[in-house]
Amino acid sequence: MTGSGRGVRVSGGALAITIAVMLAGCAGNTGNGSGDPGPQALSAGETCQGIRGNLNKLDKEGVPSLVERQNSGQKLPAAQKAKADLYNQLLDKYLGARCHV
């Protein structure tokens, strides 16, 4: 029983170290020259909620699977490629503006 207890402590310790390193990395990315440009401004009239709504609509249409196919190197018909590209653009805006935070 002693052996399994040590395993739990080691795993817990490894988890604690991993979390500490991740938090330190996040704390260091404040947009002050550490490689993180900070949140990007949305264009006039754009909102996080509006972008999220468009992403949800595209999710329901199955566009993420098109994005996966495109990312794996498969050719898509023009209409599907346009939807996949739009999804990627919206996701870049959503994440860049830090709407997910």
Side-chain angles (χ1 to χ4, degrees):
M1 210 155 168
T2 305
S4 64
R6 259 187 265 138
V8 170
R9 273 184 257 138
V10 171
S11 295
L15 179 62
I17 290 170
T18 301
I19 291 172
V21 169
M22 288 172 54
L23 290 175
C26 290
N29 290 333
T30 58
N32 58 5
S34 65
D36 180 4
Q40 298 172 0
L42 294 174
S43 300
E46 284 185 314
T47 65
C48 287
Q49 295 81 6
I51 294 170
R52 182 71 249 170
N54 289 330
L55 286 169
N56 287 340
K57 179 183 172 202
L58 294 171
D59 283 340
K60 290 177 185 174
E61 294 176 14
V63 175
S65 65
L66 298 177
V67 172
E68 288 179 26
R69 287 175 41 202
Q70 185 175 25
N71 289 343
S72 70
Q74 293 182 20
K75 296 267 185 185
L76 297 175
Q80 290 180 342
K81 182 180 180 337
K83 281 189 175 190
D85 291 344
L86 174 61
Y87 189 89
N88 281 329
Q89 290 169 1
L90 290 170
L91 188 58
D92 285 345
K93 284 183 182 184
Y94 189 81
L95 297 174
R98 305 249 170 96
C99 294
H100 61 291
V101 179

